[in-house]
Coordinates of all heavy atoms in Angstrom, one line a residue:
M1116 N -6.6 6.1 -14.2 CA -5.6 5.2 -13.7 C -4.4 6.0 -13.2 O -3.8 6.8 -13.9 CB -5.2 4.2 -14.8 CG -4.4 3.1 -14.3 SD -5.5 1.7 -13.9 CE -4.5 0.4 -14.7
K1117 N -4.0 5.8 -11.9 CA -2.8 6.4 -11.4 C -1.9 5.4 -10.8 O -2.3 4.2 -10.6 CB -3.2 7.4 -10.3 CG -4.0 8.6 -10.7 CD -4.4 9.5 -9.6 CE -5.2 10.7 -10.0 NZ -5.5 11.6 -8.8
T1118 N -0.6 5.8 -10.6 CA 0.4 4.8 -10.2 C 1.1 5.3 -9.0 O 1.4 6.5 -8.9 CB 1.4 4.6 -11.4 OG1 0.7 4.2 -12.5 CG2 2.5 3.6 -11.0
M1119 N 1.3 4.4 -8.0 CA 2.1 4.7 -6.8 C 3.1 3.6 -6.7 O 2.8 2.5 -7.2 CB 1.2 4.8 -5.6 CG 0.4 6.1 -5.5 SD -0.6 6.2 -4.0 CE 0.6 6.8 -2.8
T1120 N 4.2 3.9 -6.1 CA 5.2 2.8 -5.9 C 5.1 2.1 -4.6 O 4.4 2.7 -3.7 CB 6.7 3.4 -6.0 OG1 6.9 4.3 -4.9 CG2 6.9 4.1 -7.3
C1121 N 5.6 1.0 -4.5 CA 5.7 0.2 -3.3 C 6.2 1.1 -2.1 O 5.7 1.1 -1.0 CB 6.6 -1.0 -3.5 SG 6.9 -2.0 -2.1
K1122 N 7.2 1.8 -2.5 CA 7.9 2.7 -1.5 C 6.9 3.8 -1.0 O 6.9 4.1 0.2 CB 9.1 3.4 -2.1 CG 10.3 3.6 -1.2 CD 11.4 4.1 -2.0 CE 12.6 3.2 -1.9 NZ 13.7 3.5 -2.8
Q1123 N 6.1 4.4 -1.9 CA 5.2 5.4 -1.4 C 4.1 4.8 -0.5 O 3.5 5.6 0.2 CB 4.5 6.0 -2.7 CG 5.3 7.0 -3.5 CD 4.6 7.5 -4.7 OE1 4.3 6.7 -5.6 NE2 4.3 8.8 -4.8
L1124 N 3.9 3.5 -0.6 CA 2.9 2.9 0.2 C 3.6 2.2 1.5 O 2.9 1.4 2.1 CB 2.2 1.8 -0.6 CG 1.4 2.5 -1.7 CD1 1.2 1.5 -2.9 CD2 0.0 2.9 -1.2
G1125 N 4.8 2.6 1.8 CA 5.4 2.1 3.0 C 6.3 0.9 2.8 O 6.8 0.3 3.7
G1126 N 6.4 0.4 1.5 CA 7.3 -0.7 1.2 C 8.7 -0.4 0.9 O 9.0 0.8 0.8
P1127 N 9.5 -1.4 0.6 CA 11.0 -1.1 0.4 C 11.4 -1.0 -1.1 O 12.5 -0.6 -1.3 CB 11.6 -2.3 1.0 CG 10.6 -3.4 0.8 CD 9.3 -2.8 0.8
C1128 N 10.5 -1.3 -2.1 CA 11.0 -1.3 -3.4 C 10.3 -0.3 -4.3 O 9.4 0.4 -3.8 CB 10.9 -2.7 -4.1 SG 9.3 -3.2 -4.6
D1129 N 10.7 -0.2 -5.5 CA 10.2 0.9 -6.4 C 9.2 0.3 -7.4 O 8.9 0.9 -8.5 CB 11.3 1.5 -7.2 CG 12.1 2.5 -6.3 OD1 11.5 3.2 -5.5 OD2 13.4 2.4 -6.3
L1130 N 8.6 -0.8 -7.1 CA 7.6 -1.4 -8.0 C 6.4 -0.5 -8.2 O 5.9 0.0 -7.2 CB 7.1 -2.8 -7.5 CG 6.1 -3.5 -8.3 CD1 6.7 -4.2 -9.5 CD2 5.3 -4.4 -7.5
A1131 N 6.0 -0.3 -9.4 CA 4.8 0.6 -9.6 C 3.5 -0.2 -9.6 O 3.4 -1.2 -10.1 CB 5.0 1.3 -11.0
L1132 N 2.6 0.4 -8.8 CA 1.2 -0.2 -8.7 C 0.2 0.7 -9.2 O 0.2 1.9 -8.8 CB 1.0 -0.6 -7.2 CG 2.0 -1.5 -6.6 CD1 2.3 -1.1 -5.2 CD2 1.6 -2.9 -6.7
S1133 N -0.7 0.3 -10.1 CA -1.7 1.2 -10.7 C -3.1 0.8 -10.3 O -3.4 -0.4 -10.0 CB -1.6 1.1 -12.2 OG -0.3 1.1 -12.6
G1134 N -3.9 1.8 -10.3 CA -5.3 1.6 -9.9 C -6.1 2.8 -10.2 O -5.6 3.9 -10.4
D1135 N -7.4 2.6 -10.3 CA -8.3 3.8 -10.5 C -8.6 4.5 -9.2 O -9.0 5.7 -9.2 CB -9.7 3.3 -11.1 CG -9.5 2.8 -12.5 OD1 -8.7 3.5 -13.3 OD2 -10.1 1.8 -12.9
T1136 N -8.5 3.8 -8.1 CA -8.7 4.5 -6.8 C -7.6 4.1 -5.8 O -6.8 3.2 -6.1 CB -10.0 4.0 -6.1 OG1 -9.9 2.6 -5.8 CG2 -11.2 4.1 -7.1
A1137 N -7.5 4.9 -4.8 CA -6.5 4.6 -3.8 C -6.7 3.2 -3.2 O -5.7 2.5 -2.9 CB -6.5 5.6 -2.6
D1138 N -7.9 2.8 -3.1 CA -8.2 1.4 -2.5 C -7.7 0.4 -3.5 O -7.1 -0.7 -3.0 CB -9.7 1.3 -2.3 CG -10.2 2.1 -1.2 OD1 -9.7 2.0 -0.1 OD2 -11.2 2.9 -1.4
D1139 N -7.8 0.6 -4.8 CA -7.2 -0.4 -5.7 C -5.7 -0.5 -5.6 O -5.2 -1.6 -5.6 CB -7.5 0.0 -7.2 CG -9.0 -0.1 -7.5 OD1 -9.7 -0.8 -6.8 OD2 -9.4 0.4 -8.6
V1140 N -5.1 0.6 -5.4 CA -3.6 0.6 -5.3 C -3.2 -0.1 -4.0 O -2.2 -0.8 -3.9 CB -3.1 2.1 -5.4 CG1 -1.6 2.1 -5.1 CG2 -3.3 2.6 -6.8
I1141 N -3.9 0.2 -2.9 CA -3.7 -0.4 -1.6 C -3.8 -1.9 -1.7 O -3.0 -2.7 -1.2 CB -4.6 0.2 -0.5 CG1 -4.1 1.6 -0.2 CG2 -4.5 -0.7 0.8 CD1 -5.1 2.4 0.6
K1142 N -4.9 -2.4 -2.4 CA -5.1 -3.8 -2.6 C -4.0 -4.4 -3.4 O -3.5 -5.5 -3.1 CB -6.4 -4.1 -3.3 CG -7.5 -4.3 -2.3 CD -8.8 -4.6 -3.1 CE -10.0 -3.9 -2.5 NZ -11.1 -3.6 -3.4
A1143 N -3.5 -3.7 -4.4 CA -2.4 -4.2 -5.3 C -1.1 -4.3 -4.4 O -0.4 -5.3 -4.5 CB -2.2 -3.3 -6.4
Q1144 N -0.9 -3.3 -3.5 CA 0.3 -3.3 -2.7 C 0.2 -4.5 -1.7 O 1.1 -5.2 -1.4 CB 0.4 -2.0 -1.9 CG 1.4 -2.0 -0.8 CD 2.8 -2.0 -1.3 OE1 3.1 -2.2 -2.4 NE2 3.8 -1.7 -0.4
D1145 N -1.0 -4.7 -1.2 CA -1.3 -5.8 -0.2 C -0.9 -7.2 -0.9 O -0.1 -8.0 -0.3 CB -2.7 -5.8 0.2 CG -3.0 -6.7 1.4 OD1 -2.1 -6.8 2.3 OD2 -4.0 -7.4 1.5
S1146 N -1.3 -7.4 -2.1 CA -1.0 -8.7 -2.7 C 0.5 -8.7 -3.2 O 1.1 -9.8 -3.1 CB -1.9 -9.0 -3.9 OG -2.3 -7.9 -4.6
H1147 N 1.0 -7.5 -3.5 CA 2.5 -7.5 -3.9 C 3.3 -7.9 -2.6 O 4.2 -8.7 -2.7 CB 2.9 -6.1 -4.3 CG 4.3 -5.8 -4.3 ND1 5.3 -6.5 -5.0 CD2 5.0 -4.8 -3.6 CE1 6.5 -6.1 -4.7 NE2 6.4 -5.0 -3.9
L1148 N 2.9 -7.3 -1.5 CA 3.7 -7.7 -0.2 C 3.6 -9.1 0.1 O 4.6 -9.8 0.4 CB 3.1 -6.8 0.9 CG 3.4 -5.3 0.9 CD1 2.7 -4.6 2.1 CD2 4.9 -5.0 0.9
N1149 N 2.3 -9.7 0.0 CA 2.1 -11.1 0.3 C 3.0 -12.0 -0.7 O 3.6 -12.9 -0.3 CB 0.6 -11.4 0.1 CG -0.1 -11.2 1.4 OD1 0.2 -11.7 2.5 ND2 -1.1 -10.3 1.3
A1150 N 2.9 -11.6 -2.0 CA 3.7 -12.4 -3.0 C 5.2 -12.3 -2.7 O 5.9 -13.3 -2.8 CB 3.3 -11.9 -4.4
A1151 N 5.7 -11.1 -2.4 CA 7.1 -10.9 -2.2 C 7.6 -11.8 -1.0 O 8.6 -12.5 -1.1 CB 7.4 -9.5 -2.0
V1152 N 6.8 -11.7 0.1 CA 7.2 -12.4 1.3 C 7.1 -13.9 1.1 O 7.9 -14.7 1.5 CB 6.4 -12.0 2.5 CG1 6.7 -12.9 3.7 CG2 6.8 -10.5 2.9
A1153 N 6.0 -14.3 0.4 CA 5.8 -15.8 0.1 C 7.0 -16.3 -0.8 O 7.3 -17.5 -0.7 CB 4.5 -16.0 -0.6
S1154 N 7.6 -15.5 -1.6 CA 8.7 -15.9 -2.4 C 10.0 -15.8 -1.7 O 11.1 -15.9 -2.3 CB 8.7 -15.2 -3.8 OG 9.1 -13.9 -3.6
G1155 N 10.0 -15.5 -0.4 CA 11.2 -15.4 0.4 C 11.9 -14.1 0.4 O 13.1 -14.0 0.8
D1156 N 11.2 -13.0 0.0 CA 11.8 -11.7 0.1 C 11.7 -11.1 1.5 O 10.6 -10.6 1.8 CB 11.1 -10.8 -1.0 CG 11.7 -9.4 -1.0 OD1 12.4 -9.0 -0.1 OD2 11.5 -8.7 -2.0
A1157 N 12.7 -11.1 2.3 CA 12.7 -10.7 3.6 C 12.5 -9.1 3.7 O 12.1 -8.6 4.8 CB 13.9 -11.1 4.4
T1158 N 12.9 -8.4 2.7 CA 12.9 -6.9 2.8 C 11.4 -6.4 2.8 O 11.2 -5.3 3.2 CB 13.6 -6.3 1.6 OG1 12.8 -6.6 0.4 CG2 15.0 -6.7 1.4
H1159 N 10.5 -7.3 2.5 CA 9.1 -6.8 2.5 C 8.3 -7.3 3.7 O 7.1 -7.0 3.9 CB 8.3 -7.4 1.2 CG 8.6 -6.6 0.0 ND1 9.8 -6.7 -0.7 CD2 7.9 -5.6 -0.7 CE1 9.8 -5.9 -1.8 NE2 8.7 -5.2 -1.8
E1160 N 9.0 -8.0 4.6 CA 8.3 -8.6 5.8 C 7.8 -7.5 6.7 O 6.7 -7.6 7.2 CB 9.3 -9.5 6.6 CG 9.3 -10.9 6.0 CD 10.3 -11.8 6.7 OE1 10.9 -11.4 7.7 OE2 10.6 -12.9 6.1
G1161 N 8.6 -6.4 6.9 CA 8.2 -5.3 7.8 C 6.9 -4.6 7.3 O 6.0 -4.4 8.0
A1162 N 7.0 -4.4 6.0 CA 5.8 -3.7 5.4 C 4.6 -4.5 5.4 O 3.5 -4.0 5.6 CB 6.2 -3.3 3.9
L1163 N 4.7 -5.8 5.2 CA 3.6 -6.7 5.2 C 3.0 -6.8 6.6 O 1.8 -6.7 6.8 CB 4.0 -8.1 4.8 CG 2.8 -9.2 4.8 CD1 1.7 -8.8 3.9 CD2 3.4 -10.6 4.5
K1164 N 3.9 -6.8 7.6 CA 3.4 -6.8 9.0 C 2.6 -5.6 9.3 O 1.6 -5.6 10.0 CB 4.6 -6.9 10.0 CG 4.6 -8.1 10.9 CD 5.8 -8.1 11.7 CE 5.6 -8.9 13.0 NZ 6.8 -8.9 13.9
A1165 N 3.1 -4.4 8.9 CA 2.5 -3.1 9.1 C 1.1 -3.1 8.4 O 0.1 -2.6 8.9 CB 3.4 -2.0 8.6
M1166 N 1.1 -3.7 7.2 CA -0.2 -3.7 6.4 C -1.2 -4.6 7.2 O -2.4 -4.2 7.3 CB 0.1 -4.2 5.0 CG -1.1 -4.3 4.1 SD -1.6 -2.6 3.6 CE -0.7 -2.4 2.1
K1167 N -0.8 -5.7 7.6 CA -1.7 -6.6 8.3 C -2.2 -6.0 9.6 O -3.4 -6.1 10.0 CB -1.0 -7.9 8.7 CG -0.9 -8.8 7.4 CD -0.5 -10.3 7.8 CE -0.7 -11.2 6.6 NZ 0.2 -12.3 6.7
G1168 N -1.3 -5.2 10.3 CA -1.7 -4.5 11.5 C -2.7 -3.5 11.2 O -3.6 -3.3 12.1
R1169 N -2.7 -2.9 10.1 CA -3.7 -1.8 9.7 C -5.1 -2.5 9.5 O -6.1 -1.8 9.9 CB -3.3 -1.1 8.4 CG -2.2 -0.1 8.7 CD -1.8 0.6 7.4 NE -0.5 1.0 7.5 CZ 0.5 0.6 6.7 NH1 0.3 -0.3 5.8 NH2 1.8 1.0 6.9
W1170 N -5.1 -3.7 8.9 CA -6.4 -4.3 8.8 C -7.0 -4.7 10.1 O -8.2 -4.6 10.4 CB -6.3 -5.6 7.9 CG -5.8 -5.4 6.5 CD1 -4.9 -6.2 5.9 CD2 -6.2 -4.4 5.5 NE1 -4.7 -5.8 4.6 CE2 -5.5 -4.7 4.4 CE3 -7.0 -3.3 5.6 CZ2 -5.6 -3.9 3.2 CZ3 -7.2 -2.5 4.4 CH2 -6.4 -2.9 3.3
K1171 N -6.1 -5.1 11.1 CA -6.5 -5.5 12.4 C -6.9 -4.3 13.2 O -7.8 -4.4 14.1 CB -5.4 -6.3 13.1 CG -5.4 -7.8 12.8 CD -4.5 -8.5 13.7 CE -3.9 -9.7 13.1 NZ -2.6 -10.0 13.7
H1172 N -6.2 -3.2 13.0 CA -6.5 -2.0 13.9 C -6.8 -0.8 12.9 O -6.0 0.0 12.8 CB -5.3 -1.7 14.7 CG -4.8 -2.8 15.6 ND1 -5.5 -3.3 16.7 CD2 -3.8 -3.7 15.4 CE1 -4.8 -4.3 17.2 NE2 -3.8 -4.6 16.4
P1173 N -8.0 -0.9 12.4 CA -8.3 0.1 11.3 C -8.3 1.6 11.9 O -8.0 2.5 11.1 CB -9.8 -0.2 10.9 CG -10.2 -1.4 11.7 CD -9.1 -1.8 12.6
I1174 N -8.6 1.8 13.1 CA -8.5 3.2 13.6 C -7.1 3.6 13.7 O -6.8 4.7 13.2 CB -9.1 3.2 15.1 CG1 -10.5 2.6 15.1 CG2 -9.1 4.7 15.6 CD1 -11.6 3.4 14.3
K1175 N -6.2 2.8 14.2 CA -4.8 3.1 14.3 C -4.2 3.3 12.9 O -3.3 4.1 12.7 CB -4.0 2.0 15.0 CG -3.5 2.5 16.3 CD -3.0 1.3 17.2 CE -1.6 0.9 17.0 NZ -1.2 -0.2 17.8
G1176 N -4.7 2.5 11.9 CA -4.1 2.6 10.6 C -4.8 3.7 9.7 O -4.4 3.9 8.6
M1177 N -5.7 4.4 10.3 CA -6.4 5.4 9.6 C -5.6 6.6 9.1 O -5.8 7.1 8.0 CB -7.6 6.0 10.4 CG -8.7 6.7 9.7 SD -9.3 5.8 8.3 CE -10.6 4.8 9.1
G1178 N -4.6 7.0 9.9 CA -3.6 8.0 9.5 C -2.9 7.7 8.2 O -2.8 8.5 7.3
W1179 N -2.4 6.4 8.1 CA -1.7 6.0 6.9 C -2.7 5.9 5.8 O -2.3 6.4 4.7 CB -1.2 4.6 7.2 CG -0.5 3.9 6.0 CD1 0.8 4.0 5.7 CD2 -1.1 3.0 5.1 NE1 1.0 3.3 4.5 CE2 -0.1 2.7 4.1 CE3 -2.4 2.5 4.9 CZ2 -0.4 1.8 3.1 CZ3 -2.7 1.7 3.8 CH2 -1.7 1.4 2.9
Y1180 N -3.9 5.4 6.0 CA -4.8 5.3 4.9 C -5.2 6.7 4.3 O -5.3 6.9 3.1 CB -6.1 4.6 5.5 CG -7.2 4.4 4.5 CD1 -7.0 3.5 3.4 CD2 -8.4 5.1 4.6 CE1 -8.0 3.3 2.5 CE2 -9.4 4.8 3.7 CZ -9.2 4.0 2.7 OH -10.3 3.8 1.8
K1181 N -5.4 7.7 5.3 CA -5.8 9.0 4.8 C -4.6 9.6 4.0 O -4.9 10.3 3.0 CB -6.1 9.9 6.0 CG -7.5 9.8 6.5 CD -7.8 10.8 7.6 CE -9.2 10.7 8.0 NZ -9.4 11.4 9.3
Q1182 N -3.4 9.3 4.5 CA -2.2 9.9 3.8 C -2.1 9.3 2.4 O -1.9 10.0 1.4 CB -1.0 9.5 4.6 CG 0.3 10.2 4.0 CD 0.2 11.7 4.0 OE1 0.0 12.3 5.0 NE2 0.4 12.3 2.8
V1183 N -2.3 8.0 2.2 CA -2.3 7.4 0.9 C -3.4 7.9 0.0 O -3.1 8.2 -1.1 CB -2.4 5.8 1.0 CG1 -2.6 5.2 -0.3 CG2 -1.2 5.2 1.7
K1184 N -4.6 8.1 0.6 CA -5.7 8.7 -0.2 C -5.3 10.1 -0.7 O -5.6 10.4 -1.8 CB -7.0 8.8 0.7 CG -7.5 7.4 1.0 CD -8.7 7.0 0.1 CE -10.0 7.4 0.6 NZ -11.1 6.7 -0.1
A1185 N -4.7 10.9 0.2 CA -4.3 12.2 -0.1 C -3.2 12.2 -1.2 O -3.3 13.0 -2.2 CB -3.9 13.0 1.1
D1186 N -2.2 11.4 -1.0 CA -1.1 11.3 -2.0 C -1.7 10.9 -3.3 O -1.3 11.4 -4.4 CB -0.1 10.2 -1.5 CG 0.7 10.7 -0.3 OD1 0.7 11.9 0.0 OD2 1.4 9.9 0.3
F1187 N -2.6 9.9 -3.3 CA -3.2 9.4 -4.6 C -4.0 10.5 -5.3 O -3.8 10.7 -6.5 CB -4.1 8.2 -4.3 CG -4.6 7.5 -5.5 CD1 -3.9 6.5 -6.1 CD2 -5.9 7.9 -6.0 CE1 -4.4 5.9 -7.3 CE2 -6.4 7.3 -7.2 CZ -5.6 6.3 -7.8
A1188 N -4.7 11.3 -4.5 CA -5.6 12.3 -5.0 C -4.7 13.4 -5.6 O -5.1 14.1 -6.6 CB -6.5 12.9 -4.0
A1189 N -3.5 13.6 -5.0 CA -2.6 14.7 -5.5 C -1.8 14.3 -6.7 O -1.2 15.2 -7.4 CB -1.6 15.0 -4.4
L1190 N -1.8 13.0 -7.1 CA -1.1 12.6 -8.3 C -1.8 13.2 -9.5 O -3.0 13.3 -9.6 CB -1.1 11.1 -8.4 CG -0.3 10.3 -7.4 CD1 -0.6 8.8 -7.6 CD2 1.2 10.5 -7.6
P1191 N -0.9 13.5 -10.5 CA -1.5 13.9 -11.8 C -2.2 12.7 -12.4 O -1.5 11.7 -12.6 CB -0.4 14.5 -12.6 CG 0.9 13.8 -12.0 CD 0.5 13.6 -10.5
G1192 N -3.4 12.8 -12.7 CA -4.1 11.7 -13.4 C -4.8 12.1 -14.7 O -4.6 13.2 -15.1
D1193 N -5.6 11.2 -15.2 CA -6.2 11.5 -16.5 C -7.6 12.1 -16.3 O -8.2 12.0 -15.2 CB -6.3 10.3 -17.4 CG -6.6 9.0 -16.6 OD1 -7.4 9.1 -15.7 OD2 -6.0 8.0 -17.0
Ligands
ZN1531 ZN1 7.8 -3.9 -3.0

């Protein structure tokens, strides 16, 4: 289990998101962004838009995805 923050994933806050894989952490960030914006948090709107754009344009979003995977892999884990 490793932890990345919302900020490390392109978001505006320091909320910690944990997962066993980079994909788990990305999924956690996706739902965090959705929940934050749904509750009226405007600071997360840009990051949510960017995240949705990545799902729509997977090739364009691949650079970000690879970076997150590399950052996740570089984290000290168990
Ligand atoms: Zn956040």
